[in-house]
Amino acid sequence: NHNPGYYGDAGHHALEWTDRRPADYSTQAGTPGKMYGASWEDIAALANESGKGLWIITAIAATDGYVRELAQLLKRELKPELNLYIEHSNEVWNFGFPQYIYNKLAAIDEVKQGGSPLNADGEKKDEVWTHRRHAKRVVEIAKTFREVFGNDQSGRIRPIYASWSISPKPHFADVLAWVKATYGEPRDLFYGIADAAYY
């Protein structure tokens, strides 16, 4: 839930690969403003030792370059028989978290720049763009991982679209219909969906 900065903060809002916490860093505890997250090498080692598939969450601020580097690291480090479940940030739908604001501002900015699939159908509501961008990032991140892992290992890549079940139409039905119209069948893009139900 911690990001290096708010979307739009010049020089501070993007999470680059150099910002990650390496395995040999002096501590794996939180040091805001320095390194972010736990060491991916340690996370892969834990999965390897347990023999269990790995579920990871990519940070909301992770750049495309960060995602590609992460995919390359996990291809190297993770045992080839282990599956990899990938989620885009945590509770991106939750307006109480900074990643919701980050995603919304990024969606609005993307639409303002023009040529975005988020409003290619003429959609005017920025909240709808916000939901769509979350799914779009899952599609993009999964594509990068599949490219890095290669066709022979693409079945190991299991992207998860996660959202809010208390509001299923805008968060699931509408988004999945947009995904289908924009990218193709959701079942070909996502391994599964996950939901949270806060009442």
Side-chain angles (χ1 to χ4, degrees), residues 22-92:
D24 61 356
Y25 196 65
S26 60
T27 178
Q28 292 296 311
T31 51
K34 295 184 179 179
M35 298 288 173
Y36 294 89
S39 152
W40 287 112
E41 291 90 344
D42 290 341
I43 292 169
L46 180 60
N48 289 339
E49 186 67 23
S50 68
K52 302 295 183 184
L54 181 60
W55 186 304
I56 64 168
I57 295 179
T58 59
I60 193 77
T63 63
D64 291 339
Y66 183 107
V67 170
R68 186 163 295 277
E69 292 280 356
L70 175 58
Q72 291 169 348
L73 183 146
L74 291 176
K75 184 182 181 184
R76 276 193 319 270
E77 300 286 331
L78 201 59
K79 287 181 178 178
E81 67 269 20
L82 299 182
N83 294 321
L84 183 57
Y85 301 83
I86 306 168
E87 186 179 350
H88 171 235
S89 194
N90 175 52
E91 295 190 12
V92 180

Side-chain angles (χ1 to χ4, degrees), residues 91-109:
E91 295 190 12
V92 180
W93 49 267
N94 189 335
F95 43 80
F97 283 164
Q99 53 266 35
Y100 163 83
I101 299 295
Y102 190 105
N103 184 60
K104 185 167 188 171
L105 292 176
I108 292 168
D109 191 38

Side-chain angles (χ1 to χ4, degrees), residues 5-9 13 60 92 97-113 118 126-127 129-131 133-134:
Y6 289 98
Y7 185 85
D9 288 352
H13 74 274
I60 193 77
V92 180
F97 283 164
Q99 53 266 35
Y100 163 83
I101 299 295
Y102 190 105
N103 184 60
K104 185 167 188 171
L105 292 176
I108 292 168
D109 191 38
E110 182 179 323
V111 168
K112 282 182 182 176
Q113 291 178 31
L118 300 178
D126 58 16
E127 190 65 18
W129 306 339
T130 302
H131 299 162
R133 184 182 182 276
H134 173 45

Side-chain angles (χ1 to χ4, degrees), residues 151-185:
N151 289 336
D152 60 326
Q153 296 187 53
S154 64
R156 296 174 62 198
I157 306 305
R158 300 184 169 188
I160 306 296
Y161 173 69
S163 201
W164 197 23
S165 64
I166 196 173
S167 185
K169 186 175 187 312
H171 287 91
F172 285 104
D174 293 349
V175 170
L176 294 176
W178 174 80
V179 166
K180 180 176 180 178
T182 307
Y183 299 107
E185 289 291 344

